[in-house]
Amino acid sequence: MYAGLMAAAAVVALTSAVHASPVAMASNMVGKPTFKSGGGPWKPLGVLQRLSPGDVVKCAPGQQAVIMMFTDGIRFKVASGTSGTIEPTSVRGGLSVGDMGGATIRVAKAMTGLDTQPFLARAVKEAQELTLHDNGIIVVGTKSITINSPDTGVASYLLTFFNQSGNVIWSTRVDGPTIDLPADLPVSTHKPYVWTLTEFGQMGKPQPALRWGISTFLSQDDADKLNADAASLQSQAASSDDHTTPLMMEAELYRQNGVYEGALRVLDPLRTSGQPGIQEAEADLCTQVSPYAALLFNLNKTTTTSDDTTAQNTP
C-alpha cells in the first residue's frame, strides 16, 4: 500500500474509542465539534466516529456536524451553537436533512452478522485476479501471491504477516517474486493483518524502503458482495450532490468487514482534497488494526499516494 517507508525507531501512542452498540456515525463536519459518552469527558468528534444512544455531540459557534443513522440512512445536522443527543433512530436536537436513498440505505441496514471464525486455507478451484493493494482482500484458499513491479537488483524478499497484537504469525524469505502461502496459515476471516515486504540486494543487504499494507481474508462470496456494494456506493457518490456521505458509508462498510485497507483507499482522496478530519480518521483506522499499523501510518502520513502496488494473488 505504501512505499518508501524507512525502518521505525519509535512508537507513537494513538487511542480510539469503540462503542458496544453504535447506531450512527459522523459523516461530515465543519470545524472541530466534540462529543461525549455518558459521564465521560468531551472528545474531538471525527468523521467515521461511531456513536451510541446517549452520546452527545456539541457544536460551538462556527461548527457543524452531520450524523447518519445506521437503521435507515437518515442524516441529522447538529447546527452551529447547538448540541444533539444520539437516540436509537434519530438525533434529539438535530435537524433531519433526509436520507441519501439507494445504496446508502441498503448497505447501512446490512452492516451486521459478520462471520469472523478461524479457517484453514484450501486450494482454490478457479483463477483469481484480486490484488493485495486492491482493498487488501485475499480470497480464502489463495495458494500464492506474486510481487508486482519488483525493484531492480533485488535477490530475495521477506514477507511477514502480523496479527492485531503486532505479533508475527507467519514469515518467509524467497528468492523469486512468487510466494507460496501455507495451507494452515493461522488467520481468521474479516480480520485485518499487517504485512511487510523487505527486499534484499545481491549482497544480502536489506533495501532501505519497507513496503507494507493491511490484508483481510474473505470468502469469494463475501468478497464479491462487498465489492458490489462498494461499487454501488461509489456510483451514488459520483451522481449525488452530497458525495461525501456515500463515501463515508463505503469506508464504514469496509471497516465493518475488516477490510481496513479498503477504508483507507476510500478516504485518501478526501484527505488530499482537504476534507476536514480525514487524516485523523485514517490514523484512527490504523490504530484499530494494531499498534504496529498505527506506527507505520504515522511514519508515512506525509505520503500522498496510497496505490503503490506490491503484490498480486495468483491461483
Side-chain angles (χ1 to χ4, degrees):
M1 177 175 69
Y2 298 100
L5 183 66
M6 303 300 294
V11 175
V12 177
L14 297 172
T15 59
S16 170
V18 178
H19 297 301
S21 55
V23 297
M25 74 174 188
S27 65
N28 205 343
M29 62 186 187
V30 175
K32 297 181 178 180
T34 56
F35 82 102
K36 68 175 182 178
S37 300
W42 290 99
K43 301 177 182 179
L45 179 72
V47 292
L48 291 186
Q49 175 65 53
R50 285 176 283 188
L51 300 165
S52 298
D55 290 355
V56 179
V57 173
K58 181 172 63 175
C59 293
Q63 300 175 353
Q64 177 181 296
V66 176
I67 310 300
M68 192 187 72
M69 310 306 298
F70 288 148
T71 52
D72 49 19
I74 291 180
R75 297 164 296 161
F76 289 84
K77 180 173 69 175
V78 181
S80 171
T82 68
S83 62
T85 301
I86 307 301
E87 297 185 337
T89 60
S90 64
V91 178
R92 178 160 40 90
L95 173 66
S96 175
V97 292
D99 61 67
M100 291 295 298
T104 300
I105 295 178
R106 176 173 55 80
V107 171
K109 291 182 177 180
M111 286 182 171
T112 56
L114 298 177
D115 181 10
T116 58
Q117 298 302 310
F119 70 91
L120 296 180
R122 300 182 298 278
V124 294
K125 297 181 180 179
E126 298 179 358
Q128 299 178 44
E129 299 297 335
L130 299 177
T131 57
L132 280 182
H133 77 289
D134 183 17
N135 305 321
I137 296 171
I138 300 179
V139 172
V140 174
T142 293
K143 295 192 295 183
S144 65
I145 54 178
T146 300
I147 299 167
N148 287 344
S149 305
D151 295 326
T152 58
V154 176
S156 62
Y157 307 87
L158 176 66
L159 177 67
T160 304
F161 279 88
F162 302 83
N163 63 13
Q164 291 75 45
S165 298
N167 299 321
V168 174
I169 60 172
W170 183 72
S171 184
T172 187
R173 185 168 174 173
V174 297
D175 295 333
T178 298
I179 302 173
D180 294 332
L181 298 178
D184 58 350
L185 193 63
V187 294
S188 301
T189 55
H190 298 279
K191 295 289 186 181
Y193 296 89
V194 170
W195 57 266
T196 60
L197 182 70
T198 304
E199 299 174 327
F200 295 86
Q202 299 294 336
M203 302 301 293
K205 182 179 179 179
Q207 303 300 299
L210 174 69
R211 298 181 176 186
W212 74 284
I214 303 170
S215 289
T216 307
F217 290 79
L218 298 180
S219 70
Q220 185 68 69
D221 288 345
D222 285 347
D224 290 344
K225 184 179 186 304
L226 176 58
N227 288 331
D229 286 341
S232 295
L233 290 168
Q234 284 278 340
S235 178
Q236 185 175 10
S239 60
S240 172
D241 292 337
D242 176 8
H243 74 281
T244 302
T245 296
L247 293 179
M248 292 298 104
M249 178 56 70
E250 183 185 5
E252 177 67 9
L253 173 67
Y254 279 123
R255 173 167 66 173
Q256 291 209 8
N257 277 273
V259 184
Y260 280 74
E261 186 156 322
L264 292 170
R265 177 190 61 78
V266 173
L267 294 178
D268 205 55
L270 296 174
R271 173 177 60 83
T272 57
S273 68
Q275 185 78 16
I278 298 299
Q279 182 163 301
E280 293 81 359
E282 291 181 316
D284 184 63
L285 286 170
C286 289
T287 301
Q288 294 173 36
V289 172
S290 70
Y292 189 36
L295 168 63
L296 293 171
F297 176 82
N298 183 69
L299 291 173
N300 199 57
K301 63 185 178 182
T302 57
T303 301
T304 58
T305 58
S306 64
D307 57 356
D308 292 309
T309 302
T310 59
Q312 177 175 329
N313 297 339
T314 55

